[in-house]
Amino acid sequence: MAAAQGRLSDGAGGMDDANEGDPDGSTSAPLPFRAAVDALRATRLRPQIEVEPTPAPKRLAPFAYALEATVVDGEQDLADGRLVLLHDPAGHDAWHGTFRLVTLIRAELEPEMAADPLLPEVCWSWLTGALQARGLTYGEPSGTVTRASSHYFGGLAERPAASQIEIRASWTPREGLGGVPDTGSHLASWCDLLAQVAGLPPAGPGDASVVTLPQRRGPHSR
């Protein structure tokens, strides 16, 4: 397994406003934030998920650290995502805490899957289920699940129609000793969700009950 060390280029609910001057978000940061970031960096993940740091948003909180991840199968990208850790030492009324995790996950779907009216509810349950499966306590969850379809015409008419699922969400991780949340476990649960959306089989025997999306048609070539 590789240690957490991504590739989205568009906006993600404010997540596109990158802090280029402080890519790891840790310059002069308070100890709880540095400890939370260190835990993210040390987390071991399944080899199909490639994770690396990316410039973090600079206006969402005084301190931020961001990761991007891609689920790969050989030379194909099955899904991608971004996870941002925010920290405001003074606390935030909407968060009910001093830390917040914000995520964007995207994957392509078969049109038949995208047409399932229950798909948004199922995808949201995957997010909460991934956190609960690792025994994580969290608060104030919020987010959206969006389905989009693209149809091609004219010079692009030969391309098949494409459908995509997108999950945008945020939640407040429970703070432990020293005011530090278990960010390593939150990252692992987020990667569980990312793998599930990508259609990967469960990572271990304990995950046998997990239901994943079927393999999507035509994942992106790398």
Side-chain angles (χ1 to χ4, degrees):
M1 294 185 179
Q5 282 303 320
R7 282 195 294 267
L8 301 174
S9 60
D10 63 342
M15 294 167 64
D16 57 327
D17 189 7
N19 186 349
E20 300 288 354
D22 184 17
D24 66 2
S26 61
T27 301
S28 303
L31 181 59
F33 180 73
R34 296 202 305 269
V37 170
D38 286 345
L40 289 175
R41 291 170 170 163
T43 303
R44 311 297 292 185
L45 305 172
R46 59 191 295 178
Q48 298 96 331
I49 300 179
E50 297 180 354
V51 182
E52 64 185 18
T54 189
K58 61 184 178 182
R59 288 204 291 247
L60 298 181
F63 303 96
Y65 180 79
L67 295 168
E68 288 188 347
T70 304
V71 182
V72 298
D73 180 16
E75 294 299 312
Q76 296 178 323
D77 293 350
L78 302 179
D80 55 26
R82 182 185 298 158
L83 183 69
V84 179
L85 174 69
L86 304 175
H87 179 53
D88 186 342
H92 194 292
D93 290 342
W95 302 353
H96 290 181
T98 63
F99 284 91
R100 188 75 171 172
L101 286 162
V102 183
T103 184
L104 164 67
I105 289 177
R106 300 183 304 196
E108 289 193 5
L109 302 174
E110 289 285 358
E112 295 79 8
M113 286 295 300
D116 186 340
L118 296 179
L119 184 63
E121 288 79 6
V122 170
C123 288
W124 184 256
S125 73
W126 288 347
L127 169 64
T128 57
L131 294 167
Q132 293 165 4
R134 291 185 179 269
L136 294 170
T137 303
Y138 61 95
E140 307 305 320
S142 64
T144 62
V145 177
T146 304
R147 291 175 291 189
S149 298
S150 299
H151 300 265
Y152 301 93
F153 302 92
L156 301 177
E158 293 184 359
R159 293 189 184 182
S163 299
Q164 186 181 73
I165 191 75
E166 179 181 275
I167 303 172
R168 295 173 182 259
S170 62
W171 63 94
T172 299
R174 185 185 67 180
E175 297 170 16
L177 294 177
V180 182
D182 185 1
T183 51
S185 293
H186 280 272
L187 174 58
S189 69
W190 178 72
C191 287
D192 292 342
L193 171 64
L194 189 62
Q196 195 169 3
V197 171
L200 292 185
D207 301 323
S209 63
V210 171
V211 178
T212 59
L213 284 175
Q215 179 64 53
R216 280 151 302 285
R217 180 183 62 214
H220 298 299
S221 296
R222 310 193 73 195

